[in-house]
Amino acid sequence: MKKTYAILAAVAFSVLLVYWMLPNRYFEESVFPMQEGVVLLGYDDQADGGTSEISMEVDENTLGFTCKLGADTTKSAWCGLLWNMDPDSQMVYRNWTFVDSLILDVEAFGTSEVLLKVWTYDPDVTDIKKPRSFRLLMKELPLKEGAQRLAIPMEDLYTPDFWYEDGKVDRELNRRHQETVARLEIAPGWNQPREKKFSIKFKSITAKGVSNLAFGTVLFIFLFLTIVAIGRGHKYRHDTLKE
C-alpha cells in the first residue's frame, strides 16, 4: 500500500514540475492600432435620410471620432465606429477564445457613455449576408471627461433581449462564440443628447487574456489521482478486514 501511495506522490510531483515548466499562454491582439486585414469604418444615418454628422481622423497612434446626432426626434439617429475583421466575407474570423478582457485607452468629451459591441458568427442563426444576424455581445461603458483607461471583462458582455426578438432567435441558443469574432463596434450610449457633439479619441484598444487549459489539465489529473488513492485505500481496508 505504501508503494502505491509513493508512486501516486511521484506522479503528482512530476505533474506539478511539468506545469511549472510550461510557458504561460498569454493572448494579446491589438484592435487599434489595427491588425492587417481589418477595415475600420465610421458610419452615420445620412444614407437612410438622417442628419447625424460624423468626422474621423486616423494616424498610426491615434483614432479620433466625433459625432452629432440629428435633431429630428421623429427619426432614429445613429453613428459609430466599426472594425470589420472579415471585410471580404470569407468567414476568416478572429479567435478570441482566450480573451478575458478588452483594454481601452481613451479620451472622451461630451458623452458619459458608449456602447461596446462585439459581433460573433453563430452557425445556428447567422447568415453572413445579414450583418445583424451575427450574435451580438454588448456592454454599456460609463465614461468621464478626459483621459481614462478602461478594462472590460469579456464575461460582462451580454446578448440583449432585442437581439433575440429582432432575429426571432430561440433564447436557448445562448453560446457566446468568442472563437469567431467578426466585428467590433463602438456607438453612442442610450441617452446621448441630440445635436450635442461628442468626441472620442482612442490611443489603443487591446484584447487580452491567458489560457487556463494547462491549469485545468493539472486539476483533472489530481482529481484522478485522488480517486485512485481513495479507491486503493478502501480496497486495502476491505482486504484487511477480510483477513
Side-chain angles (χ1 to χ4, degrees):
M1 190 63 191
K2 290 182 179 179
K3 182 179 180 180
T4 299
Y5 284 137
I7 293 172
L8 292 175
V11 172
F13 177 78
S14 300
V15 170
L16 286 175
L17 182 62
V18 170
Y19 176 70
W20 180 76
M21 294 176 65
L22 285 174
N24 288 326
R25 293 187 62 184
Y26 289 106
F27 178 93
E28 181 172 322
E29 180 171 285
S30 176
V31 177
F32 183 82
M34 292 187 299
Q35 299 285 330
E36 184 177 353
V38 178
V39 172
L40 172 62
L41 302 170
Y43 65 84
D44 58 34
D45 54 29
Q46 293 192 16
D48 294 300
T51 58
S52 299
E53 302 173 4
I54 66 167
S55 64
M56 184 172 67
E57 297 181 359
V58 186
D59 59 34
E60 292 183 356
N61 302 310
T62 307
L63 164 61
F65 178 77
T66 64
C67 174
K68 183 172 71 173
L69 294 176
D72 189 350
T73 57
T74 64
K75 298 180 179 180
S76 297
W78 59 85
C79 65
L81 290 166
L82 182 71
W83 284 260
N84 190 342
M85 300 177 185
D86 181 36
D88 298 323
S89 299
Q90 298 298 308
M91 300 182 70
V92 181
Y93 305 122
R94 300 290 174 171
N95 188 336
W96 284 9
T97 301
F98 299 133
V99 173
D100 54 44
S101 300
L102 290 170
I103 313 297
L104 290 78
D105 282 318
V106 59
E107 288 184 66
F109 300 96
T111 185
S112 60
E113 180 186 79
V114 293
L115 303 180
L116 175 68
K117 303 178 182 181
V118 174
W119 298 88
T120 68
Y121 175 82
D122 183 336
D124 292 321
V125 300
T126 299
D127 178 348
I128 62 173
K129 297 179 181 179
K130 299 178 180 179
R132 293 292 169 180
S133 69
F134 283 74
R135 176 170 293 276
L136 172 59
L137 304 175
M138 186 176 75
K139 177 64 178 175
E140 296 84 357
L141 303 184
L143 298 174
K144 62 182 181 181
E145 291 281 308
Q148 55 215 281
R149 181 179 175 87
L150 305 175
I152 304 96
M154 283 294 291
E155 64 183 17
D156 285 359
L157 274 65
Y158 66 96
T159 299
D161 290 340
F162 67 77
W163 182 83
Y164 289 101
E165 294 166 0
D166 293 348
K168 297 179 175 58
V169 177
D170 186 345
R171 292 176 184 272
E172 293 185 0
L173 299 174
N174 54 15
R175 185 181 163 195
R176 295 170 64 85
H177 293 284
Q178 278 182 224
E179 74 282 5
T180 54
V181 174
R183 306 190 303 275
L184 184 141
E185 182 180 356
I186 294 177
W190 300 118
N191 297 315
Q192 177 64 31
R194 303 250 185 164
E195 285 199 297
K196 179 183 178 182
K197 181 181 289 188
F198 71 90
S199 64
I200 307 175
K201 184 179 291 185
F202 297 95
K203 296 182 179 179
S204 69
I205 303 175
T206 309
K208 291 186 176 183
V210 61
S211 170
N212 290 319
L213 179 61
F215 181 67
T217 302
V218 169
L219 287 180
F220 177 80
I221 293 173
F222 269 86
L223 177 62
F224 175 77
L225 293 177
T226 301
I227 292 171
V228 170
I230 293 173
R232 293 288 296 176
H234 281 310
K235 186 177 185 303
Y236 175 77
R237 284 192 292 272
H238 178 72
D239 293 343
T240 301
L241 289 174
K242 285 179 65 178
E243 293 175 2

